[in-house]
């Protein structure tokens, strides 16, 4: 009897684990902040920002003050953003990982 009860609990636990991980809920968060030049610390206008992992392909550009805001969707707790300068090519492309369980509403990104 104990053996049957233990086996039933084990099967139930495995089933719950499988379905919990297979149907991980999608996380939607806003990442916002400012992009700066690494050497001069001046804000950068027109930097293209794109989510490169996750369940959406969100993108935006920095405004005249270097500010950006992007809504990301992902089924994991990490979002990866690519920062690039497609208009002038003055800055190297940069990727940054953001932990979606933390507050990412005032981040600073430095490009060189």
């Amino acid at each position: 009897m104990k053996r049957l009860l233990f086996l039933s609990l084990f099967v139930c636990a495995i089933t719950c684990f499988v379905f919990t991980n297979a149907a991980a809920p999608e996380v939607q968060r806003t990442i916002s902040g400012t992009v700066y030049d690494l050497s001069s610390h001046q804000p950068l206008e027109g930097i293209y920002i794109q989510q490169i992992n996750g369940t959406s392909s969100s993108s935006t550009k920095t405004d005249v003050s270097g500010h950006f805001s992007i809504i990301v969707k992902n089924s994991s707790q990490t979002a990866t953003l690519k920062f690039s300068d497609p208009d002038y090519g003055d800055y190297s492309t940069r990727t940054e990982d953001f932990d979606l369980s933390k507050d990412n509403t005032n981040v600073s990104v430095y490009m060189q």
Side-chain angles (χ1 to χ4, degrees):
M1 184 68 174
K2 286 183 182 180
R3 199 174 200 185
L4 182 61
L5 180 61
F6 177 74
L7 184 59
S8 297
L9 288 173
F10 181 72
V11 169
C12 182
I14 293 296
T15 303
C16 291
F17 178 76
V18 167
F19 284 111
T20 302
N21 286 337
E26 183 175 78
V27 176
Q28 178 175 315
R29 298 283 190 271
T30 299
I31 300 173
S32 59
T34 308
V35 178
Y36 297 99
D37 178 284
L38 179 63
S39 59
S40 71
H41 299 281
Q42 294 297 312
L44 298 176
E45 176 184 2
I47 297 298
Y48 182 70
I49 301 130
Q50 178 183 17
Q51 182 179 0
I52 59 173
N53 73 338
T55 58
S56 71
S57 57
S58 303
S59 63
T60 190
K61 280 191 169 189
T62 57
D63 64 14
V64 295
S65 301
H67 297 291
F68 72 93
S69 181
I70 186 169
I71 296 173
V72 297
K73 295 178 185 176
N74 206 343
S75 58
S76 72
Q77 286 296 317
T78 303
T80 303
L81 299 182
K82 178 173 78 170
F83 296 81
S84 60
D85 181 16
D87 295 334
Y88 303 106
D90 293 334
Y91 297 93
S92 299
T93 298
R94 176 183 183 92
T95 58
E96 291 277 334
D97 292 325
F98 295 92
D99 183 349
L100 298 179
S101 66
K102 297 182 179 181
D103 180 18
N104 293 297
T105 56
N106 192 22
V107 299
S108 296
V109 177
Y110 291 89
M111 297 187 66
Q112 54 182 4

